[in-house]
């Protein structure tokens, strides 16, 4: 499984012949290493909530590639009205979409269309957890107990989400094998560096590997 960070909270995950995009914020993303036209193939698009820096280019990308959008029900109905193919789900258990297992989880944030969510993907018997935009919440321990994530992608930028200290405590709740910090450095208002996060995680969750990706970098899990 290959995981590429496209800046902010945007990821491309490739496994076998499947391409998955999470929160495809590309065109208006000042740090995006690619252009939307660079993407020619997608099998699934997952969206955590409807804020511009997460919904991003979802509509155009879905129409260009034919990929369905997995998201919370109310946002799905909104996108369906715009001619987008959707899997309008809710928080609960896993759903198979194009042979990819997807689940929506709790996220503590705000949105216009339905509740914001985190995303769980079961890929090649590995569990990937993208927390979306969220504050710290104690039920992250349930994500650990139920799903034992191999990889967790957690926001650390502060202001709109957890900051480094809160995100480090989230790591201790979730106990992933690998954590990738996201949602920082895109705008001046956000934390610009993962250094504080690294120090906090090393203190309270030393068994978790901290993976700092450069924008556009791909790692293989």
């Amino acid at each position: 499984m290959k995981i590429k960070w496209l800046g902010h909270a945007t990821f491309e995950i490739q496994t076998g012949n499947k391409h998955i995009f999470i929160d495809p914020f590309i065109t208006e993303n000042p740090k995006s290493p690619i252009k939307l036209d660079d993407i020619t193939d997608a099998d699934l698009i997952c969206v955590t909530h409807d804020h511009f820096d997460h919904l991003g280019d979802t509509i155009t990308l879905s129409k260009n590639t034919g990929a369905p959008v997995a998201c919370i029900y109310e946002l799905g109905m909104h996108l369906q009205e715009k001619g987008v193919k959707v899997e309008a789900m809710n928080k609960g258990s896993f759903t198979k979409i194009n042979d990819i297992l997807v689940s929506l989880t709790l996220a503590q944030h705000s949105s216009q269309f339905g509740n914001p969510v985190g995303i769980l993907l079961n890929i090649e018997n590995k569990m990937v957890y993208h927390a979306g935009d969220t504050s710290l919440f104690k039920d992250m321990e349930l994500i650990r107990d139920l799903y034992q994530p191999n990889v967790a992608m957690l926001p650390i930028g502060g202001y709109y989400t957890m900051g480094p200290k809160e995100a480090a405590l989230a790591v201790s709740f979730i106990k992933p094998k690998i954590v990738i910090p996201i949602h920082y450095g895109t705008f001046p208002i956000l934390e610009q560096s993962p250094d504080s996060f690294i120090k906090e995680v090393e203190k309270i969750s030393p068994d978790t590997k901290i993976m700092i990706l450069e924008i556009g970098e791909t790692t293989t899990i």
Side-chain angles (χ1 to χ4, degrees):
M1 176 172 58
K2 295 180 179 179
I3 298 175
K4 178 186 286 188
W5 187 39
L6 297 176
H8 205 56
T10 305
F11 283 87
E12 177 185 1
I13 299 175
Q14 184 176 356
T15 173
N17 62 350
K18 300 292 184 184
H19 281 82
I20 305 162
F21 287 87
I22 303 176
D23 285 355
F25 174 49
I26 297 167
T27 301
E28 296 184 17
N29 181 354
K31 299 295 181 71
S32 178
I34 65 170
K35 297 180 179 179
L36 189 60
D37 289 344
D38 295 333
I39 303 174
T40 59
D41 184 29
D43 297 283
L44 177 64
I45 303 164
C46 299
V47 177
T48 60
H49 64 295
D50 56 36
H51 288 169
F52 80 98
D53 55 332
H54 294 263
L55 184 61
D57 297 286
T58 294
I59 293 173
T60 302
L61 181 58
S62 177
K63 289 182 176 180
N64 285 352
T65 63
V69 178
C71 59
I72 198 72
Y73 179 83
E74 291 81 1
L75 176 56
M77 294 299 97
H78 171 69
L79 295 176
Q80 194 172 73
E81 290 176 357
K82 297 181 179 295
V84 176
K85 182 180 179 181
V86 301
E87 291 284 347
M89 306 164 58
N90 218 310
K91 299 184 291 292
S93 190
F94 282 90
T95 298
K96 183 177 283 189
I97 307 170
N98 283 351
D99 293 324
I100 301 163
L101 289 170
V102 186
S103 179
L104 307 184
T105 69
L106 180 67
Q108 298 287 8
H109 194 56
S110 63
S111 58
Q112 182 177 357
F113 297 102
N115 295 322
V117 297
I119 305 288
L120 280 165
L121 296 169
N122 189 336
I123 304 170
E124 296 179 350
N125 294 317
K126 296 182 178 72
M127 195 68 68
V128 176
Y129 170 49
H130 186 297
D133 275 6
T134 189
S135 62
L136 179 68
F137 57 95
K138 186 69 169 174
D139 281 353
M140 286 177 171
E141 292 180 341
L142 294 177
I143 295 171
R144 173 198 68 207
D145 293 344
L146 282 168
Y147 306 115
Q148 299 89 47
N150 298 87
V151 181
M153 302 148 171
L154 301 181
I156 68 165
Y159 199 84
Y160 299 110
T161 70
M162 298 184 289
K165 186 173 184 177
E166 295 84 5
L169 188 55
V171 174
S172 74
F173 287 172
I174 301 163
K175 297 188 184 304
K177 294 179 180 178
I178 297 168
V179 63
I180 301 173
I182 63 172
H183 209 278
Y184 67 94
T186 318
F187 306 110
I189 203 168
L190 301 180
E191 187 86 12
Q192 297 300 303
S193 165
D195 292 349
S196 296
F197 174 72
I198 293 169
K199 291 178 182 178
E200 291 290 335
V201 173
E202 288 176 343
K203 282 193 298 184
I204 64 175
S205 193
D207 292 336
T208 294
K209 178 181 179 181
I210 306 164
M211 185 173 289
I212 307 299
L213 295 181
E214 298 294 329
I215 295 174
E217 183 179 357
T218 299
T219 186
T220 300
I221 305 297

